[in-house]
Short mmCIF file of all heavy atoms in Angstrom, two decimals:
data_model
loop_
_atom_site.label_atom_id
_atom_site.label_comp_id
_atom_site.label_asym_id
_atom_site.label_seq_id
_atom_site.Cartn_x
_atom_site.Cartn_y
_atom_site.Cartn_z
N MET A 1 0.89 -1.15 0.03
CA MET A 1 0.00 -0.05 0.03
C MET A 1 0.93 1.23 0.01
O MET A 1 1.83 1.32 0.79
CB MET A 1 -0.87 -0.02 1.27
CG MET A 1 -1.85 1.07 1.29
SD MET A 1 -2.90 1.19 2.78
CE MET A 1 -3.58 -0.45 2.95
N ASP A 2 0.66 2.16 -0.90
CA ASP A 2 1.43 3.35 -0.94
C ASP A 2 1.06 4.35 0.18
O ASP A 2 0.05 4.21 0.78
CB ASP A 2 1.43 4.02 -2.35
CG ASP A 2 0.00 4.49 -2.70
OD1 ASP A 2 -0.85 4.54 -1.84
OD2 ASP A 2 -0.15 4.93 -3.85
N SER A 3 1.90 5.32 0.29
CA SER A 3 1.67 6.21 1.44
C SER A 3 0.38 7.05 1.32
O SER A 3 -0.23 7.38 2.31
CB SER A 3 2.88 7.19 1.60
OG SER A 3 3.03 7.99 0.52
N SER A 4 -0.03 7.40 0.16
CA SER A 4 -1.31 8.14 -0.01
C SER A 4 -2.49 7.29 0.35
O SER A 4 -3.44 7.81 0.93
CB SER A 4 -1.44 8.76 -1.45
OG SER A 4 -1.50 7.69 -2.37
N ALA A 5 -2.45 6.02 -0.07
CA ALA A 5 -3.59 5.17 0.35
C ALA A 5 -3.58 4.95 1.85
O ALA A 5 -4.67 4.87 2.46
CB ALA A 5 -3.46 3.85 -0.41
N SER A 6 -2.37 4.79 2.39
CA SER A 6 -2.29 4.61 3.85
C SER A 6 -2.84 5.83 4.64
O SER A 6 -3.54 5.76 5.60
CB SER A 6 -0.83 4.35 4.23
OG SER A 6 -0.71 4.21 5.58
N GLU A 7 -2.47 7.02 4.12
CA GLU A 7 -2.88 8.24 4.76
C GLU A 7 -4.46 8.41 4.61
O GLU A 7 -5.15 8.79 5.55
CB GLU A 7 -2.23 9.47 4.12
CG GLU A 7 -2.67 10.81 4.71
CD GLU A 7 -2.43 10.91 6.24
OE1 GLU A 7 -1.49 10.21 6.77
OE2 GLU A 7 -3.22 11.57 6.88
N ALA A 8 -5.02 8.08 3.44
CA ALA A 8 -6.49 8.15 3.22
C ALA A 8 -7.14 7.24 4.20
O ALA A 8 -8.17 7.55 4.80
CB ALA A 8 -6.82 7.83 1.76
N LEU A 9 -6.60 5.99 4.33
CA LEU A 9 -7.23 5.06 5.28
C LEU A 9 -7.13 5.56 6.73
O LEU A 9 -8.11 5.48 7.47
CB LEU A 9 -6.50 3.68 5.16
CG LEU A 9 -7.05 2.56 5.97
CD1 LEU A 9 -8.52 2.29 5.63
CD2 LEU A 9 -6.21 1.30 5.74
N SER A 10 -6.05 6.17 7.05
CA SER A 10 -5.84 6.67 8.40
C SER A 10 -6.90 7.80 8.72
O SER A 10 -7.45 7.94 9.75
CB SER A 10 -4.44 7.20 8.65
OG SER A 10 -3.51 6.18 8.66
N GLN A 11 -7.06 8.69 7.68
CA GLN A 11 -8.04 9.75 7.84
C GLN A 11 -9.42 9.18 7.97
O GLN A 11 -10.28 9.73 8.81
CB GLN A 11 -7.93 10.71 6.62
CG GLN A 11 -6.75 11.61 6.59
CD GLN A 11 -6.71 12.46 5.35
OE1 GLN A 11 -7.62 12.35 4.45
NE2 GLN A 11 -5.76 13.36 5.30
N SER A 12 -9.74 8.19 7.22
CA SER A 12 -11.07 7.52 7.34
C SER A 12 -11.30 6.96 8.73
O SER A 12 -12.39 7.08 9.32
CB SER A 12 -11.23 6.43 6.29
OG SER A 12 -11.28 6.99 5.01
N VAL A 13 -10.29 6.33 9.26
CA VAL A 13 -10.30 5.76 10.59
C VAL A 13 -10.55 6.79 11.56
O VAL A 13 -11.37 6.76 12.52
CB VAL A 13 -9.07 4.89 10.87
CG1 VAL A 13 -8.97 4.55 12.33
CG2 VAL A 13 -9.06 3.65 10.03
N ARG A 14 -9.80 7.91 11.48
CA ARG A 14 -9.95 9.07 12.47
C ARG A 14 -11.37 9.69 12.33
O ARG A 14 -12.02 9.98 13.40
CB ARG A 14 -8.89 10.07 12.17
CG ARG A 14 -7.51 9.68 12.67
CD ARG A 14 -6.54 10.94 12.68
NE ARG A 14 -6.25 11.39 11.33
CZ ARG A 14 -5.30 10.97 10.52
NH1 ARG A 14 -4.49 9.94 10.96
NH2 ARG A 14 -5.13 11.47 9.31
N ARG A 15 -11.92 9.82 11.13
CA ARG A 15 -13.23 10.34 11.08
C ARG A 15 -14.26 9.39 11.67
O ARG A 15 -15.18 9.78 12.30
CB ARG A 15 -13.57 10.56 9.54
CG ARG A 15 -13.00 11.80 8.96
CD ARG A 15 -13.69 12.21 7.59
NE ARG A 15 -13.55 11.12 6.66
CZ ARG A 15 -12.52 11.00 5.80
NH1 ARG A 15 -11.55 11.90 5.83
NH2 ARG A 15 -12.46 10.02 4.91
N LEU A 16 -14.09 8.08 11.42
CA LEU A 16 -15.01 7.10 12.02
C LEU A 16 -14.93 7.11 13.53
O LEU A 16 -15.94 7.01 14.23
CB LEU A 16 -14.75 5.76 11.46
CG LEU A 16 -15.25 5.48 10.07
CD1 LEU A 16 -14.72 4.10 9.55
CD2 LEU A 16 -16.77 5.59 9.97
N GLN A 17 -13.71 7.27 14.09
CA GLN A 17 -13.54 7.38 15.47
C GLN A 17 -14.23 8.59 16.08
O GLN A 17 -14.88 8.49 17.09
CB GLN A 17 -12.04 7.32 15.87
CG GLN A 17 -11.37 5.99 15.74
CD GLN A 17 -9.86 5.98 15.91
OE1 GLN A 17 -9.26 7.06 15.72
NE2 GLN A 17 -9.34 4.90 16.30
N ALA A 18 -14.06 9.73 15.40
CA ALA A 18 -14.71 10.93 15.83
C ALA A 18 -16.26 10.73 15.81
O ALA A 18 -16.97 11.21 16.76
CB ALA A 18 -14.27 12.11 15.01
N ARG A 19 -16.78 10.23 14.74
CA ARG A 19 -18.21 9.98 14.62
C ARG A 19 -18.71 9.02 15.73
O ARG A 19 -19.77 9.27 16.31
CB ARG A 19 -18.57 9.46 13.29
CG ARG A 19 -18.41 10.53 12.19
CD ARG A 19 -18.67 10.00 10.79
NE ARG A 19 -20.04 9.73 10.63
CZ ARG A 19 -20.53 9.10 9.51
NH1 ARG A 19 -19.67 8.72 8.53
NH2 ARG A 19 -21.80 8.90 9.40
N THR A 20 -17.93 8.03 15.98
CA THR A 20 -18.28 7.08 17.04
C THR A 20 -18.40 7.67 18.35
O THR A 20 -19.27 7.54 19.16
CB THR A 20 -17.36 5.86 17.03
OG1 THR A 20 -17.34 5.26 15.76
CG2 THR A 20 -17.69 4.88 18.09
N GLU A 21 -17.35 8.56 18.68
CA GLU A 21 -17.31 9.29 19.96
C GLU A 21 -18.49 10.23 20.07
O GLU A 21 -19.13 10.35 21.09
CB GLU A 21 -15.99 10.04 20.09
CG GLU A 21 -14.82 9.14 20.37
CD GLU A 21 -13.45 9.90 20.33
OE1 GLU A 21 -13.52 11.12 20.30
OE2 GLU A 21 -12.45 9.20 20.28
N ALA A 22 -18.86 10.95 18.94
CA ALA A 22 -19.99 11.86 18.99
C ALA A 22 -21.28 11.13 19.19
O ALA A 22 -22.12 11.56 19.89
CB ALA A 22 -19.96 12.63 17.62
N LEU A 23 -21.38 9.94 18.50
CA LEU A 23 -22.63 9.19 18.74
C LEU A 23 -22.67 8.62 20.15
O LEU A 23 -23.82 8.60 20.69
CB LEU A 23 -22.62 8.01 17.72
CG LEU A 23 -22.97 8.43 16.29
CD1 LEU A 23 -22.79 7.16 15.36
CD2 LEU A 23 -24.36 8.88 16.19
N GLY A 24 -21.56 8.27 20.74
CA GLY A 24 -21.54 7.85 22.12
C GLY A 24 -22.02 8.93 23.06
O GLY A 24 -22.78 8.70 23.97
N ALA A 25 -21.55 10.16 22.76
CA ALA A 25 -21.99 11.33 23.61
C ALA A 25 -23.46 11.58 23.50
O ALA A 25 -24.21 11.79 24.43
CB ALA A 25 -21.20 12.57 23.24
N ARG A 26 -23.93 11.48 22.25
CA ARG A 26 -25.42 11.69 21.98
C ARG A 26 -26.22 10.62 22.70
O ARG A 26 -27.31 10.88 23.21
CB ARG A 26 -25.71 11.76 20.52
CG ARG A 26 -25.19 13.02 19.82
CD ARG A 26 -25.40 13.04 18.36
NE ARG A 26 -26.84 13.06 18.05
CZ ARG A 26 -27.34 12.91 16.79
NH1 ARG A 26 -26.49 12.71 15.83
NH2 ARG A 26 -28.61 12.97 16.56
N THR A 27 -25.75 9.34 22.63
CA THR A 27 -26.42 8.23 23.25
C THR A 27 -26.49 8.49 24.77
O THR A 27 -27.59 8.29 25.36
CB THR A 27 -25.69 6.94 22.92
OG1 THR A 27 -25.73 6.78 21.53
CG2 THR A 27 -26.40 5.81 23.63
N ARG A 28 -25.45 8.95 25.37
CA ARG A 28 -25.41 9.14 26.80
C ARG A 28 -26.40 10.33 27.15
O ARG A 28 -27.11 10.24 28.23
CB ARG A 28 -24.00 9.53 27.32
CG ARG A 28 -23.12 8.22 27.30
CD ARG A 28 -21.77 8.55 27.99
NE ARG A 28 -20.87 9.49 27.22
CZ ARG A 28 -20.18 9.22 26.16
NH1 ARG A 28 -20.15 7.96 25.70
NH2 ARG A 28 -19.53 10.13 25.56
N ALA A 29 -26.43 11.30 26.33
CA ALA A 29 -27.35 12.47 26.63
C ALA A 29 -28.79 11.97 26.51
O ALA A 29 -29.65 12.34 27.30
CB ALA A 29 -27.10 13.59 25.62
N LEU A 30 -29.08 11.13 25.50
CA LEU A 30 -30.45 10.60 25.31
C LEU A 30 -30.79 9.73 26.47
O LEU A 30 -31.97 9.71 26.99
CB LEU A 30 -30.58 9.89 23.98
CG LEU A 30 -30.61 10.71 22.75
CD1 LEU A 30 -30.47 9.87 21.50
CD2 LEU A 30 -31.84 11.54 22.69
N GLU A 31 -29.88 8.90 26.95
CA GLU A 31 -30.15 8.02 28.09
C GLU A 31 -30.48 8.83 29.34
O GLU A 31 -31.39 8.52 30.04
CB GLU A 31 -29.00 7.10 28.35
CG GLU A 31 -28.87 5.97 27.28
CD GLU A 31 -27.56 5.18 27.41
OE1 GLU A 31 -26.62 5.67 28.11
OE2 GLU A 31 -27.51 4.12 26.80
N SER A 32 -29.70 9.91 29.50
CA SER A 32 -29.94 10.81 30.63
C SER A 32 -31.31 11.44 30.55
O SER A 32 -32.09 11.51 31.53
CB SER A 32 -28.86 11.95 30.68
OG SER A 32 -29.09 12.79 31.74
N SER A 33 -31.65 11.94 29.34
CA SER A 33 -33.01 12.54 29.12
C SER A 33 -34.07 11.52 29.38
O SER A 33 -35.12 11.83 29.93
CB SER A 33 -33.06 13.09 27.71
OG SER A 33 -32.22 14.19 27.49
N SER A 34 -33.88 10.33 28.97
CA SER A 34 -34.81 9.24 29.10
C SER A 34 -35.05 8.97 30.64
O SER A 34 -36.20 8.82 31.04
CB SER A 34 -34.39 8.03 28.40
OG SER A 34 -35.31 6.98 28.58
N GLU A 35 -34.03 9.00 31.35
CA GLU A 35 -34.11 8.74 32.81
C GLU A 35 -34.86 9.91 33.46
O GLU A 35 -35.71 9.68 34.31
CB GLU A 35 -32.73 8.61 33.43
CG GLU A 35 -32.04 7.33 33.07
CD GLU A 35 -30.52 7.25 33.52
OE1 GLU A 35 -30.11 8.18 34.29
OE2 GLU A 35 -29.86 6.31 33.08
N ASP A 36 -34.57 11.15 33.05
CA ASP A 36 -35.31 12.32 33.55
C ASP A 36 -36.79 12.18 33.24
O ASP A 36 -37.62 12.48 34.10
CB ASP A 36 -34.72 13.64 32.97
CG ASP A 36 -33.28 13.90 33.42
OD1 ASP A 36 -32.84 13.27 34.40
OD2 ASP A 36 -32.65 14.79 32.80
N LEU A 37 -37.08 11.81 32.00
CA LEU A 37 -38.47 11.65 31.63
C LEU A 37 -39.22 10.55 32.42
O LEU A 37 -40.34 10.76 32.81
CB LEU A 37 -38.66 11.38 30.13
CG LEU A 37 -38.33 12.54 29.24
CD1 LEU A 37 -38.26 12.10 27.83
CD2 LEU A 37 -39.34 13.66 29.40
N ARG A 38 -38.52 9.45 32.68
CA ARG A 38 -39.08 8.40 33.46
C ARG A 38 -39.35 8.90 34.92
O ARG A 38 -40.46 8.63 35.51
CB ARG A 38 -38.20 7.19 33.54
CG ARG A 38 -38.36 6.25 32.38
CD ARG A 38 -37.67 4.92 32.55
NE ARG A 38 -36.22 5.00 32.54
CZ ARG A 38 -35.50 4.87 31.40
NH1 ARG A 38 -36.12 4.73 30.26
NH2 ARG A 38 -34.20 4.99 31.44
N ALA A 39 -38.43 9.66 35.51
CA ALA A 39 -38.63 10.20 36.85
C ALA A 39 -39.79 11.16 36.86
O ALA A 39 -40.61 11.15 37.79
CB ALA A 39 -37.35 10.88 37.37
N ALA A 40 -39.90 12.05 35.85
CA ALA A 40 -40.98 13.05 35.79
C ALA A 40 -42.28 12.30 35.61
O ALA A 40 -43.30 12.67 36.21
CB ALA A 40 -40.75 13.97 34.64
N THR A 41 -42.30 11.26 34.80
CA THR A 41 -43.52 10.50 34.63
C THR A 41 -44.00 9.90 35.96
O THR A 41 -45.16 9.86 36.29
CB THR A 41 -43.39 9.43 33.55
OG1 THR A 41 -43.01 10.02 32.35
CG2 THR A 41 -44.63 8.59 33.29
N ALA A 42 -43.05 9.31 36.65
CA ALA A 42 -43.40 8.68 37.99
C ALA A 42 -43.93 9.75 38.96
O ALA A 42 -44.95 9.52 39.57
CB ALA A 42 -42.16 8.08 38.57
N ARG A 43 -43.38 10.93 38.94
CA ARG A 43 -43.86 12.00 39.79
C ARG A 43 -45.29 12.45 39.37
O ARG A 43 -46.18 12.63 40.25
CB ARG A 43 -42.93 13.18 39.75
CG ARG A 43 -41.61 13.01 40.52
CD ARG A 43 -40.86 14.30 40.72
NE ARG A 43 -40.56 15.00 39.41
CZ ARG A 43 -39.49 14.74 38.71
NH1 ARG A 43 -38.61 13.85 39.18
NH2 ARG A 43 -39.24 15.38 37.59
N LEU A 44 -45.44 12.50 38.08
CA LEU A 44 -46.81 12.90 37.62
C LEU A 44 -47.88 11.85 38.01
O LEU A 44 -49.03 12.16 38.30
CB LEU A 44 -46.85 13.12 36.11
CG LEU A 44 -46.19 14.41 35.67
CD1 LEU A 44 -46.06 14.49 34.15
CD2 LEU A 44 -46.99 15.60 36.14
N ARG A 45 -47.49 10.54 37.85
CA ARG A 45 -48.38 9.50 38.26
C ARG A 45 -48.78 9.60 39.73
O ARG A 45 -49.95 9.41 40.11
CB ARG A 45 -47.78 8.12 37.96
CG ARG A 45 -47.82 7.69 36.52
CD ARG A 45 -47.41 6.24 36.33
NE ARG A 45 -47.43 5.91 34.95
CZ ARG A 45 -46.33 5.49 34.32
NH1 ARG A 45 -45.17 5.41 34.97
NH2 ARG A 45 -46.38 5.25 33.03
N GLN A 46 -47.73 9.87 40.57
CA GLN A 46 -48.03 9.97 42.00
C GLN A 46 -48.96 11.16 42.29
O GLN A 46 -49.90 11.02 43.03
CB GLN A 46 -46.72 10.14 42.77
CG GLN A 46 -45.83 8.96 42.86
CD GLN A 46 -44.48 9.19 43.41
OE1 GLN A 46 -44.05 10.37 43.58
NE2 GLN A 46 -43.80 8.14 43.86
N LYS A 47 -48.70 12.31 41.65
CA LYS A 47 -49.55 13.46 41.83
C LYS A 47 -50.91 13.14 41.35
O LYS A 47 -51.91 13.57 42.01
CB LYS A 47 -48.96 14.67 41.06
CG LYS A 47 -49.66 15.91 41.43
CD LYS A 47 -48.92 17.11 40.82
CE LYS A 47 -49.56 18.45 41.28
NZ LYS A 47 -48.84 19.54 40.96
N THR A 48 -51.10 12.53 40.21
CA THR A 48 -52.41 12.18 39.69
C THR A 48 -53.17 11.30 40.62
O THR A 48 -54.38 11.53 40.91
CB THR A 48 -52.29 11.49 38.32
OG1 THR A 48 -51.62 12.35 37.40
CG2 THR A 48 -53.60 11.05 37.77
N THR A 49 -52.53 10.30 41.23
CA THR A 49 -53.14 9.45 42.19
C THR A 49 -53.64 10.25 43.36
O THR A 49 -54.67 10.08 43.89
CB THR A 49 -52.13 8.33 42.59
OG1 THR A 49 -51.80 7.56 41.45
CG2 THR A 49 -52.73 7.36 43.67
N ARG A 50 -52.75 11.12 43.90
CA ARG A 50 -53.09 11.92 45.05
C ARG A 50 -54.33 12.80 44.70
O ARG A 50 -55.22 12.90 45.55
CB ARG A 50 -51.91 12.77 45.56
CG ARG A 50 -50.87 12.02 46.31
CD ARG A 50 -49.91 12.94 47.03
NE ARG A 50 -49.31 13.95 46.22
CZ ARG A 50 -48.14 13.77 45.55
NH1 ARG A 50 -47.55 12.66 45.66
NH2 ARG A 50 -47.64 14.74 44.83
N LEU A 51 -54.31 13.38 43.57
CA LEU A 51 -55.46 14.23 43.22
C LEU A 51 -56.71 13.44 42.99
O LEU A 51 -57.77 13.91 43.40
CB LEU A 51 -55.09 15.05 41.89
CG LEU A 51 -54.06 16.17 42.04
CD1 LEU A 51 -53.70 16.65 40.66
CD2 LEU A 51 -54.61 17.22 42.91
N GLN A 52 -56.61 12.28 42.42
CA GLN A 52 -57.76 11.38 42.29
C GLN A 52 -58.35 11.00 43.67
O GLN A 52 -59.56 11.08 43.86
CB GLN A 52 -57.45 10.17 41.47
CG GLN A 52 -57.30 10.41 40.01
CD GLN A 52 -56.72 9.22 39.24
OE1 GLN A 52 -56.10 8.32 39.84
NE2 GLN A 52 -57.05 9.13 37.99
N GLU A 53 -57.45 10.67 44.56
CA GLU A 53 -57.85 10.34 45.91
C GLU A 53 -58.55 11.49 46.61
O GLU A 53 -59.55 11.36 47.32
CB GLU A 53 -56.72 9.89 46.76
CG GLU A 53 -56.15 8.47 46.34
CD GLU A 53 -54.85 8.11 46.91
OE1 GLU A 53 -54.21 9.01 47.61
OE2 GLU A 53 -54.43 7.02 46.77
N GLU A 54 -58.05 12.69 46.42
CA GLU A 54 -58.58 13.95 46.95
C GLU A 54 -60.03 14.20 46.38
O GLU A 54 -60.96 14.51 47.13
CB GLU A 54 -57.63 15.13 46.75
CG GLU A 54 -58.15 16.36 47.39
CD GLU A 54 -57.19 17.52 47.23
OE1 GLU A 54 -55.96 17.25 46.97
OE2 GLU A 54 -57.63 18.67 47.17
N VAL A 55 -60.12 14.04 45.13
CA VAL A 55 -61.43 14.21 44.46
C VAL A 55 -62.43 13.17 45.04
O VAL A 55 -63.59 13.54 45.35
CB VAL A 55 -61.28 14.11 42.93
CG1 VAL A 55 -62.69 13.94 42.28
CG2 VAL A 55 -60.59 15.28 42.41
N GLU A 56 -62.00 11.97 45.21
CA GLU A 56 -62.91 10.92 45.74
C GLU A 56 -63.32 11.19 47.16
O GLU A 56 -64.52 11.07 47.55
CB GLU A 56 -62.23 9.56 45.64
CG GLU A 56 -62.07 9.01 44.27
CD GLU A 56 -61.26 7.75 44.16
OE1 GLU A 56 -60.73 7.27 45.22
OE2 GLU A 56 -60.96 7.31 43.02
N ARG A 57 -62.44 11.74 47.96
CA ARG A 57 -62.73 12.11 49.34
C ARG A 57 -63.75 13.29 49.34
O ARG A 57 -64.70 13.24 50.10
CB ARG A 57 -61.46 12.52 50.11
CG ARG A 57 -60.71 11.35 50.60
CD ARG A 57 -59.63 11.89 51.71
NE ARG A 57 -58.80 12.94 51.27
CZ ARG A 57 -57.72 12.84 50.56
NH1 ARG A 57 -57.25 11.67 50.19
NH2 ARG A 57 -57.02 13.91 50.19
N LYS A 58 -63.54 14.26 48.50
CA LYS A 58 -64.40 15.40 48.45
C LYS A 58 -65.80 15.02 47.92
O LYS A 58 -66.79 15.63 48.28
CB LYS A 58 -63.81 16.57 47.67
CG LYS A 58 -62.66 17.16 48.40
CD LYS A 58 -62.05 18.33 47.60
CE LYS A 58 -60.94 18.97 48.50
NZ LYS A 58 -60.43 20.18 47.86
N SER A 59 -65.79 14.02 47.04
CA SER A 59 -67.12 13.71 46.44
C SER A 59 -67.97 12.85 47.47
O SER A 59 -69.14 12.70 47.26
CB SER A 59 -66.93 12.94 45.14
OG SER A 59 -66.31 11.62 45.43
N ASP A 60 -67.32 12.35 48.53
CA ASP A 60 -68.02 11.67 49.57
C ASP A 60 -68.93 12.62 50.39
O ASP A 60 -69.91 12.21 51.05
CB ASP A 60 -67.03 10.97 50.54
CG ASP A 60 -66.35 9.82 49.89
OD1 ASP A 60 -66.88 9.35 48.88
OD2 ASP A 60 -65.28 9.39 50.40
N PHE A 61 -68.68 13.97 50.34
CA PHE A 61 -69.44 14.91 51.08
C PHE A 61 -70.50 15.59 50.17
O PHE A 61 -70.14 15.82 49.01
CB PHE A 61 -68.53 15.97 51.69
CG PHE A 61 -67.60 15.39 52.69
CD1 PHE A 61 -66.24 15.18 52.34
CD2 PHE A 61 -67.99 15.10 53.98
CE1 PHE A 61 -65.37 14.59 53.25
CE2 PHE A 61 -67.10 14.55 54.89
CZ PHE A 61 -65.76 14.31 54.50
N PRO A 62 -71.63 15.96 50.65
CA PRO A 62 -72.60 16.67 49.78
C PRO A 62 -72.09 18.02 49.46
O PRO A 62 -71.34 18.58 50.27
CB PRO A 62 -73.89 16.74 50.70
CG PRO A 62 -73.42 16.59 52.05
CD PRO A 62 -72.09 15.72 52.05
N PRO A 63 -72.47 18.56 48.34
CA PRO A 63 -72.02 19.88 48.00
C PRO A 63 -72.59 20.98 48.94
O PRO A 63 -73.66 20.69 49.54
CB PRO A 63 -72.56 20.09 46.58
CG PRO A 63 -73.66 19.14 46.45
CD PRO A 63 -73.35 17.95 47.35
N PRO A 64 -71.95 22.10 49.19
CA PRO A 64 -72.45 23.15 50.05
C PRO A 64 -73.84 23.67 49.58
O PRO A 64 -74.03 23.70 48.36
CB PRO A 64 -71.35 24.21 50.05
CG PRO A 64 -70.51 23.92 48.85
CD PRO A 64 -70.69 22.47 48.50
N SER A 65 -74.59 24.11 50.50
CA SER A 65 -75.93 24.59 50.19
C SER A 65 -75.77 25.92 49.43
O SER A 65 -74.97 26.76 49.81
CB SER A 65 -76.77 24.74 51.41
OG SER A 65 -77.93 25.38 51.16
N ASP A 66 -76.66 26.13 48.47
CA ASP A 66 -76.64 27.42 47.70
C ASP A 66 -77.73 28.39 48.29
O ASP A 66 -77.89 29.52 47.74
CB ASP A 66 -76.93 27.20 46.26
CG ASP A 66 -75.84 26.47 45.53
OD1 ASP A 66 -74.75 26.22 46.25
OD2 ASP A 66 -75.91 26.11 44.33
N GLU A 67 -78.39 27.99 49.30
CA GLU A 67 -79.52 28.80 49.73
C GLU A 67 -79.02 30.23 50.20
O GLU A 67 -77.97 30.33 50.86
CB GLU A 67 -80.23 28.14 50.93
CG GLU A 67 -80.96 26.84 50.53
CD GLU A 67 -81.57 26.18 51.72
OE1 GLU A 67 -81.84 26.86 52.73
OE2 GLU A 67 -81.80 24.97 51.63
N GLY A 68 -79.76 31.24 49.73
CA GLY A 68 -79.43 32.55 50.09
C GLY A 68 -78.36 33.19 49.16
O GLY A 68 -78.10 34.39 49.25
N ASP A 69 -77.85 32.42 48.28
CA ASP A 69 -76.80 32.92 47.39
C ASP A 69 -77.29 32.98 45.97
O ASP A 69 -76.56 32.89 44.97
CB ASP A 69 -75.55 32.08 47.43
CG ASP A 69 -74.79 32.15 48.70
OD1 ASP A 69 -75.00 33.23 49.36
OD2 ASP A 69 -74.01 31.31 49.03
N GLU A 70 -78.66 33.16 45.78
CA GLU A 70 -79.12 33.15 44.42
C GLU A 70 -78.78 34.41 43.66
O GLU A 70 -78.94 35.52 44.20
CB GLU A 70 -80.71 32.96 44.46
CG GLU A 70 -81.08 31.55 44.90
CD GLU A 70 -82.60 31.38 44.72
OE1 GLU A 70 -83.19 32.03 43.87
OE2 GLU A 70 -83.10 30.53 45.46
N SER A 71 -78.29 34.26 42.45
CA SER A 71 -77.93 35.34 41.67
C SER A 71 -79.13 35.67 40.75
O SER A 71 -79.94 34.84 40.51
CB SER A 71 -76.70 35.00 40.76
OG SER A 71 -75.62 34.65 41.50
N PRO A 72 -79.27 36.98 40.35
CA PRO A 72 -80.39 37.30 39.51
C PRO A 72 -80.26 36.47 38.16
O PRO A 72 -79.12 36.21 37.73
CB PRO A 72 -80.23 38.80 39.27
CG PRO A 72 -78.87 39.16 39.72
CD PRO A 72 -78.41 38.03 40.67
N PRO A 73 -81.34 36.16 37.49
CA PRO A 73 -81.27 35.40 36.25
C PRO A 73 -80.58 36.22 35.18
O PRO A 73 -80.64 37.45 35.16
CB PRO A 73 -82.73 35.13 35.90
CG PRO A 73 -83.55 36.07 36.70
CD PRO A 73 -82.68 36.46 37.91
N LEU A 74 -79.81 35.56 34.38
CA LEU A 74 -79.14 36.20 33.23
C LEU A 74 -80.18 36.59 32.15
O LEU A 74 -81.10 35.80 31.87
CB LEU A 74 -78.11 35.33 32.63
CG LEU A 74 -77.00 34.89 33.58
CD1 LEU A 74 -76.10 33.89 32.88
CD2 LEU A 74 -76.16 36.11 34.01
N THR A 75 -80.10 37.79 31.64
CA THR A 75 -81.02 38.20 30.56
C THR A 75 -80.24 38.55 29.33
O THR A 75 -79.10 38.73 29.26
CB THR A 75 -81.82 39.43 30.99
OG1 THR A 75 -80.89 40.51 31.34
CG2 THR A 75 -82.74 39.15 32.20
#
């Protein structure tokens, strides 16, 4: 193999190594984002459950009386 072919091959290898490193960094960033999203989803599920339980507790009581608070009819 002549020196120009060897140099071209070396450049190709360096470019592939750089692309591989860049893809590795992007993969790590995506994994981190994925973990963040999973944690946020878990928090939202917990909050949703708490809110549903609160709504169920409040629906166990009759609504407050409206007597004396009548508004004039809309015209």
